[in-house]
Amino acid sequence: MPIPIKSIHRKRMPVGIVKCGQSASFALKKIPKKDVRKGMVLVDPKVKPVASMVFEAEILVLHHPTTIKPNYQAMLHIGSVRQTATLVSMGKEVLRTGDRDKVQFKFIRQPEYIRPGTKMVFREGRTKAVGTVSSVVPQESLAQQRAKQKDGRQKQYGKKSMGPKPPNGKPKEKIEKKLDALSIEQLTSAASTSTSST
């Protein structure tokens, strides 16, 4: 959405222009404060920006007391983005202090706009690691997610249902075959015994 800007501040000083890649503070018109959060970016629509939940990075573990395994969670700092992420997968089985590896991260809360080549830091307690974002997996839009869910439902409804199973779990066809095999005399005797017992 196009946003009118009232003023720009950089390092607490008013400026008339900001160059690409710089961070600054913008006074925005007609935008409530609750709709803006740290990590958001102003981008030209020609760039066609896409937020992402999953990305790959090449990291170097500076310090870790034990070992890092998949599903390890840490706070990530990528530019102005600050969010907890899960380490989904990695090339080695475990990572220790001084190890380098290509790993895949997934943000926990919401997708963020990040670009390949951006420097990053992740930390948790005494653990510290640095790295570079190597590739980004674009997050699907809500419309794309709904279309996929709709396709999945149609595939499920398209399957031929065999009908409900009887309570004893035996298919209907087997019961009918057994009834055909019984003679008329056996059926009448079974019916008379059931009526006499009631």
Side-chain angles (χ1 to χ4, degrees), residues 19-92:
K19 292 181 180 177
C20 179
Q22 291 181 332
S23 58
S25 301
F26 299 95
L28 307 175
K29 284 184 182 178
K30 303 173 186 175
I31 302 290
K33 197 173 181 179
K34 63 181 178 62
D35 291 348
V36 182
R37 60 178 172 80
K38 195 166 187 176
M40 286 183 149
V41 291
L42 280 173
V43 186
D44 191 327
K46 293 172 189 171
V47 176
K48 294 179 182 175
V50 179
S52 61
M53 283 290 283
V54 180
F55 67 95
E56 287 186 348
E58 291 175 6
I59 62 162
L60 166 64
V61 181
L62 299 175
H63 178 73
H64 187 65
T66 57
T67 57
I68 297 173
K69 295 179 181 178
N71 295 327
Y72 178 79
Q73 290 186 351
M75 179 65 74
L76 256 73
H77 297 268
I78 308 169
S80 60
V81 172
R82 184 176 63 199
Q83 193 183 150
T84 307
T86 305
L87 199 153
V88 180
S89 64
M90 53 194 197
K92 299 177 182 177

Side-chain angles (χ1 to χ4, degrees), residues 176-192:
E176 287 174 0
K177 283 179 183 177
K178 283 185 180 179
L179 287 173
D180 290 342
L182 291 172
S183 64
I184 295 168
E185 292 172 2
Q186 290 172 331
L187 287 171
T188 51
S189 65
S192 62

Side-chain angles (χ1 to χ4, degrees), residues 4 10 15-16 49 70 126 128 134-135 148 176 191:
R10 182 160 160 76
V15 293
R126 289 188 296 161
K128 288 176 184 69
S134 56
S135 65
K148 270 193 176 180
E176 287 174 0

Side-chain angles (χ1 to χ4, degrees), residues 114-180:
I114 52 175
R115 291 175 300 161
T118 312
K119 300 290 182 192
M120 57 161 280
V121 174
F122 81 88
R123 60 178 181 81
E124 188 266 325
R126 289 188 296 161
T127 302
K128 288 176 184 69
V130 292
T132 308
V133 177
S134 56
S135 65
V136 176
V137 179
Q139 172 75 359
E140 292 178 337
S141 67
L142 284 172
Q144 289 170 330
Q145 288 176 5
R146 286 183 187 135
K148 270 193 176 180
Q149 288 174 352
K150 195 175 180 182
D151 289 345
R153 282 194 215 115
Q154 285 174 352
K155 284 176 186 175
Q156 286 177 353
Y157 294 136
K159 289 178 183 176
K160 290 182 180 177
S161 61
M162 298 302 287
K165 285 187 177 179
N168 60 3
K170 292 178 182 177
K172 198 174 179 182
E173 292 173 9
K174 288 184 181 178
I175 295 168
E176 287 174 0
K177 283 179 183 177
K178 283 185 180 179
L179 287 173
D180 290 342

Side-chain angles (χ1 to χ4, degrees), residues 192-198:
S192 62
T193 53
S194 63
T195 50
S196 62
S197 61
T198 55

